[in-house]
């Protein structure tokens, strides 16, 4: 039969019409109905977003702003050129002369002044404004190729926006021995759905909160609203994280995309005082700087822009050179977190690379809006470019020491020691090691209840330790690797990250437990100390034996994979509430806190009850979430039998929920805070040195060689370097 005649057949045309109609209905349902159903399912809100700082300027106001910004930029450039070691008046004259030269004006004025002037843009409206010119961008790839990508799509699908990845590329292994997302069943993994003992929550339940604080300096009864939540370090400006992106289908609605904060990364003059929680008729969200002043200073990414968020993680909020922490808000000021997450700042004052002017993106070289972390990682933070190298060797090679007559000795260490092991001699003193979320302490100055930091230290062997590492980690952030001798005697998950033997730390924990007992009489001081310093004591004998067996059967292969070197790792453990219906040999499901309830009342159980009533947490305890991701999540967690959907709140009471310390310490990579001068030989090779060679799996014979007195009688390496010919200063 003629194909054309067949197509013209009435029955065929009817079928085609019906099929086309079904497709149109499905497309319309996906576009308009699915977002409504999804929002109802997860209990989230999407609405048009407005920002007070987004104001329209008159022509006169625009030109005055342009002149002011141009003058500021020229002055900064001129002051960086004119030497400081001269008469102040003479220097000022030279600066003024340079500022007003034609080339200085041409080359230094912020480029977007000209673009905005010619385009008639007098108000910055977020991505809508940026995409006027930047609808697509050119992306350079390591193989020399270049591609054109849709700017908004590239950004929305980046880890910086999604907070998770459902793809492979994780260097993380589950306690069941499988590499995360390496198989056919891939689940969304990242900060969006990973409860953590450092922030005490996860992004679903801790996105944006306004806390009514009662600081001691205000009149009795007066409250001061403060901002808190995960959204403060996120480029999205919506009422919640991009939950749509972690589902099998669906996209972030357009109105949420319009809330993306382009300027926090791209503007030189971004006002962090705008970055606070605001409330509107739809709920709570994070404000941002959408001023034309910020938009006109858009330029290349710099360390300064990255550190607006990332110094919070590295140096910490109370680090004196954290610029963002000096601008807490004109209203609803952000809460400061006193204990540092990593305690290894990146700043010219405390890092040799920052002092040399190296920018973050010199090492973390982006491809469009995708930014690499490096191939190595011990946690579940997602990575846009997992195959892209970010390491010391990229610049320094495998033989970095060339200024000392002992360079052969020093370079010989590279096969066994990471650069950071010598060149990060200590962390910040406020590096938090043990944090108790269950027994908060009242902070009179801030006027809030805050988690009790039981122990802080930046000292090696106390705040951080040394472990073999081959680039792999466990599902709960434990470094994997092994002594190259291949012996099973190196067993950190049963030894050094599962117990604290240092008498000074144990004494400090006991002192803090006694202090807490005055407020919480039910605390058994000795049991508290035991659980904090020997977290495996919380396991039954049967569970402990299962743990040993799983390490041997499931993790040894990942530990022996590739080549291991000794790296420094920041140690961390926390006491939190856990869902004991979902527990295994490596811990139980951590439950989040509602920040407002926690900080305002100090009632930790009430804070948990409030947080787990969040609709998306309730969905976690239902069958669709169990099948989609939670069974797989628990398998990685080392919990047998799948996810138990026993909701832990019945008639307003927590059921089968207990406070526990995690069963082992987390080990976080520290790669910044690099010092030019590393450790001396005796720091590690003395009998009481920094390295516990026995716990690192060395044999007694090899330990004797490593601690040979003859070795220690050699001149200190740094002294030898000082006596050698001194070259011009360079990056270590």
């Amino acid at each position: 039969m003629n194909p054309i005649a067949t197509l013209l057949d009435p029955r065929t045309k009817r079928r085609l019409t019906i099929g086309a109609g079904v497709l149109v209905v499905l497309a319309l349902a996906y576009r308009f109905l699915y977002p409504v159903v999804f929002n109802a399912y997860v209990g989230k809100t999407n609405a048009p977003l407005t920002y007070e700082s987004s104001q329209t300027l008159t022509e006169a106001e625009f030109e005055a702003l342009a002149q002011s910004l141009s003058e500021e930029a020229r002055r900064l450039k001129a002051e960086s050129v004119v030497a400081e070691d001269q008469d102040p008046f003479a220097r000022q004259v030279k600066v003024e002369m340079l500022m007003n030269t034609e080339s200085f004006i041409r080359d230094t004025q912020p480029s977007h002044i000209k673009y905005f002037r010619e385009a008639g843009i007098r108000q910055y409206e977020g991505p809508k404004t940026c995409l006027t010119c930047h609808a697509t961008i050119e992306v350079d790839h390591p193989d020399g190729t270049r591609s054109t990508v849709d700017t908004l799509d590239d950004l929305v699908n980046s880890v910086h926006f999604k907070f998770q990845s459902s793809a492979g590329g994780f260097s993380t292994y589950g306690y069941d021995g499988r590499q995360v997302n390496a198989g056919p069943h891939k689940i969304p993994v990242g900060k969006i759905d990973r409860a953590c003992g450092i922030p005490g929550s996860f992004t679903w339940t801790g996105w944006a909160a306004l806390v009514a604080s009662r600081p001691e300096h205000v009149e009795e009864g007066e409250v001061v609203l403060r901002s808190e939540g995960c959204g403060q370090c996120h480029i999205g400006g919506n009422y919640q994280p991009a939950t749509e992106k972690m589902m099998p289908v669906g996209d972030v609605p357009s109105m949420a995309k319009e809330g993306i904060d382009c300027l926090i990364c791209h503007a030189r003059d971004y006002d962090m005082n705008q970055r606070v929680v605001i409330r509107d008729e739809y709920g709570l969200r994070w404000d941002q700087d959408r001023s034309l002043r910020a938009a006109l200073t858009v330029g290349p990414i710099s360390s300064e822009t990255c550190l607006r968020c990332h110094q919070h993680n590295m140096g910490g909020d109370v680090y004196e050179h954290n610029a963002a922490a000096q601008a807490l808000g004109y209203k609803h000021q952000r809460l400061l977190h006193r204990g540092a997450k990593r305690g290894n700042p990146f700043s010219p004052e405390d890092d040799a690379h920052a002092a040399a002017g190296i920018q973050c993106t010199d090492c973390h070289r982006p491809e469009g809006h995708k930014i690499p972390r490096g191939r190595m990682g011990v946690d579940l933070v997602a990575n846009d470019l997992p195959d892209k190298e970010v390491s010391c060797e990229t610049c320094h090679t495998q033989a970095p020491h060339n200024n000392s007559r002992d360079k052969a000795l020093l370079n010989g260490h590279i096969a066994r020691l990471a650069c950071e092991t010598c060149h990060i001699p200590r962390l910040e003193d406020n590096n938090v090691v043990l944090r108790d979320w269950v027994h908060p302490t009242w902070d009179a100055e801030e006027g809030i209840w805050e988690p009790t930091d039981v122990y802080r230290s930046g000292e090696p062997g106390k705040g951080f330790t040394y472990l073999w590492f081959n680039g792999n980690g466990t599902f709960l952030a434990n470094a994997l690797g092994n002594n190259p001798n291949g012996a099973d005697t190196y067993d950190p998950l049963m030894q050094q990250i599962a117990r604290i033997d240092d008498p000074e730390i144990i004494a400090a924990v006991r002192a803090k437990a006694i202090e807490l007992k005055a407020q919480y009489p039910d605390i058994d001081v000795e049991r508290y100390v035991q659980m904090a310093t020997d977290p495996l004591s919380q396991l039954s004998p049967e569970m402990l034996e299962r743990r040993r067996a799983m390490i041997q059967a499931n993790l040894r292969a990942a530990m022996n994979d590739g080549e291991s070197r000794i790296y420094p790792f920041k140690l961390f453990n926390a006491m939190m509430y856990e869902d004991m219906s979902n527990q295994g040999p490596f811990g139980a499901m951590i439950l989040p806190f509602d920040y407002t309830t926690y900080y305002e009342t100090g009632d930790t159980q009430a804070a948990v009850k409030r947080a787990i009533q969040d609709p998306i947490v309730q969905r976690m305890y239902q069958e669709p979430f169990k099948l989609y991701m939670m069974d797989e999540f628990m398998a990685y967690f080392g919990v047998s039998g799948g996810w138990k959907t026993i909701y832990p709140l019945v008639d307003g009471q927590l059921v089968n929920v207990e406070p526990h310390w995690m069963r082992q310490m987390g080990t976080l990579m520290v790669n910044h805070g690099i010092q030019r001068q590393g450790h001396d030989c005796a720091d590690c090779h003395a009998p009481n040195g920094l390295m516990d060679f026995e716990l690192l799996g060395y044999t007694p014979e090899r330990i004797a060689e490593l601690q040979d007195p003859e070795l220690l009688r050699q001149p200190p390496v740094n002294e030898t370097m000082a006596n050698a010919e001194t070259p011009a200063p360079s990056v270590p």
Side-chain angles (χ1 to χ4, degrees), residues 421-712:
T421 303
C422 278
H423 289 279
I424 301 180
R426 58 173 293 115
L427 304 178
E428 292 291 294
D429 290 337
N430 66 336
N431 169 54
V432 58
V433 181
L434 298 174
R435 173 169 287 173
D436 182 348
W437 281 92
V438 176
H439 304 98
T441 302
W442 176 252
D443 183 332
E445 181 182 354
E446 294 282 1
I448 58 171
W449 292 90
E450 61 182 13
T452 300
D453 283 352
V454 176
Y455 185 71
R456 296 176 187 164
S457 176
E459 294 292 328
K462 299 180 186 293
F464 67 107
T465 193
Y466 301 100
L467 302 169
W468 290 105
F469 183 49
N470 58 13
N472 300 327
T474 72
F475 202 66
L476 292 178
N478 314 123
L480 295 177
N482 199 7
N483 190 306
N485 63 25
D488 291 351
T489 52
Y490 176 69
D491 197 4
L493 279 163
M494 294 300 297
Q495 295 175 344
Q496 57 263 60
I497 65 173
R499 68 169 185 250
I500 296 173
D501 295 325
D502 188 309
E504 289 185 10
I505 301 178
I506 295 172
V509 173
R510 180 173 286 106
K512 182 60 73 171
I514 293 171
E515 179 184 319
L516 287 172
K517 186 174 177 62
Q519 185 176 340
Y520 302 97
D522 291 341
I523 287 180
D524 179 332
V525 170
E526 292 309 312
R527 178 58 179 155
Y528 186 97
V529 174
Q530 182 186 32
M531 290 196 307
T533 60
D534 182 15
L536 294 185
S537 66
Q538 301 169 108
L539 295 178
S540 67
E542 295 77 16
M543 196 72 81
L544 197 59
E545 194 52 44
R546 278 182 57 197
R547 179 185 176 99
R548 288 194 183 94
M550 290 178 72
I551 292 171
Q552 197 62 29
N554 300 341
L555 295 180
R556 275 294 162 189
M559 292 172 69
N560 291 324
D561 181 43
E563 295 182 358
S564 295
R565 294 193 293 169
I566 297 172
Y567 279 78
F569 284 94
K570 175 251 168 68
L571 297 169
F572 178 78
N573 203 351
M575 176 184 270
M576 296 187 70
Y577 286 102
E578 296 177 341
D579 173 9
M580 302 306 288
S581 297
N582 289 287
Q583 70 160 322
F586 300 91
M589 184 66 182
I590 295 173
L591 297 177
F593 293 102
D594 173 72
Y595 284 143
T596 301
T597 305
Y598 188 97
Y599 287 118
E600 290 182 0
T601 70
D603 187 337
T604 55
Q605 290 200 18
V608 171
K609 292 175 186 177
R610 180 72 178 272
I612 64 177
Q613 289 180 68
D614 187 289
I616 202 162
V617 179
Q618 295 186 51
R619 299 294 178 240
M620 285 171 55
Y621 283 91
Q622 294 173 357
E623 200 67 19
F625 254 70
K626 169 182 167 65
L627 297 176
Y628 173 51
M629 62 178 286
M630 294 308 296
D631 277 346
E632 193 76 350
F633 197 93
M634 285 295 104
Y636 289 137
F637 204 162
V639 177
S640 59
W643 173 246
K644 315 300 188 302
T645 56
I646 305 169
Y647 186 57
L649 184 65
V650 178
D651 297 328
Q653 300 300 314
L654 295 173
V655 178
N656 206 19
V657 172
E658 298 176 4
H660 287 283
W661 292 90
M662 293 183 284
R663 310 311 181 268
Q664 58 280 314
M665 305 189 83
T667 58
L668 304 182
M669 290 188 75
V670 285
N671 309 101
H672 303 91
I674 299 292
Q675 304 298 306
R676 286 185 56 81
Q677 181 169 307
H679 285 299
D680 285 328
C681 299
D683 291 343
C684 296
H685 290 280
N688 60 346
L690 301 176
M691 296 284 175
D692 190 325
F693 292 117
E694 182 179 0
L695 286 179
L696 286 168
Y698 284 104
T699 64
E701 295 77 18
R702 181 59 178 146
I703 293 173
E705 294 174 353
L706 292 169
Q707 296 178 341
D708 184 352
E710 283 297 319
L711 176 64
L712 301 180

Side-chain angles (χ1 to χ4, degrees), residues 323-344:
Q326 312 304 316
L328 297 176
Y330 298 117
K331 62 178 181 179
H332 306 169
Q333 290 192 334
R334 301 187 304 279
L335 286 173
L336 289 174
H337 303 144
R338 298 177 186 274
K341 182 176 181 179
R342 277 184 167 83
N344 65 328

Side-chain angles (χ1 to χ4, degrees), residues 146-316:
R146 171 175 282 197
S147 61
T148 302
V149 301
D150 180 278
T151 304
L152 189 58
D153 182 68
D154 184 56
L155 177 57
V156 168
N157 287 292
S158 71
V159 165
H160 271 75
F161 181 76
K162 295 188 304 177
F163 260 26
Q164 52 81 20
S165 174
S166 300
F170 284 92
S171 56
T172 312
Y173 284 78
Y175 294 110
D176 61 353
R178 295 178 303 142
Q179 189 172 3
V180 172
N181 282 354
H185 187 177
K186 293 178 170 54
I187 63 174
V189 179
K191 289 184 177 180
I192 195 169
D193 57 358
R194 182 198 64 180
C196 176
I198 293 179
S201 194
F202 52 36
T203 57
W204 283 334
T205 57
W207 182 252
L210 279 177
V211 177
S213 69
R214 292 168 285 147
E216 60 184 357
H217 64 270
V218 303
E219 299 206 8
E220 187 173 352
E222 185 180 347
V223 299
V224 178
L225 291 179
R226 303 292 298 274
S227 299
E228 174 65 323
C230 309
Q232 65 181 288
C233 287
H234 189 265
I235 59 174
N238 207 20
Y239 301 91
Q240 66 274 330
T243 308
E244 296 89 348
K245 280 298 190 179
M246 63 174 291
M247 299 303 173
V249 295
D251 192 11
V252 179
S254 297
M255 61 185 73
K257 293 177 182 178
E258 283 300 317
I260 291 173
D261 192 352
C262 305
L263 298 184
I264 196 169
C265 296
H266 290 280
R268 186 196 69 204
D269 288 0
Y270 184 94
D271 188 356
M272 285 297 291
N273 285 304
Q274 302 282 0
R275 196 76 179 176
V276 295
V277 174
I278 55 175
R279 185 191 299 274
D280 61 23
E281 60 183 301
Y282 301 102
L284 297 172
R285 58 187 173 92
W286 286 89
D287 202 358
Q288 54 189 256
D289 183 2
R290 288 207 167 181
S291 66
L292 203 57
R293 177 184 180 85
L296 289 175
T297 65
V298 164
I301 294 290
S302 68
S303 294
E304 179 185 349
T305 57
C306 298
L307 292 172
R308 287 170 184 156
C309 290
H310 289 281
Q311 196 69 277
H312 164 85
N313 169 46
M314 297 189 297

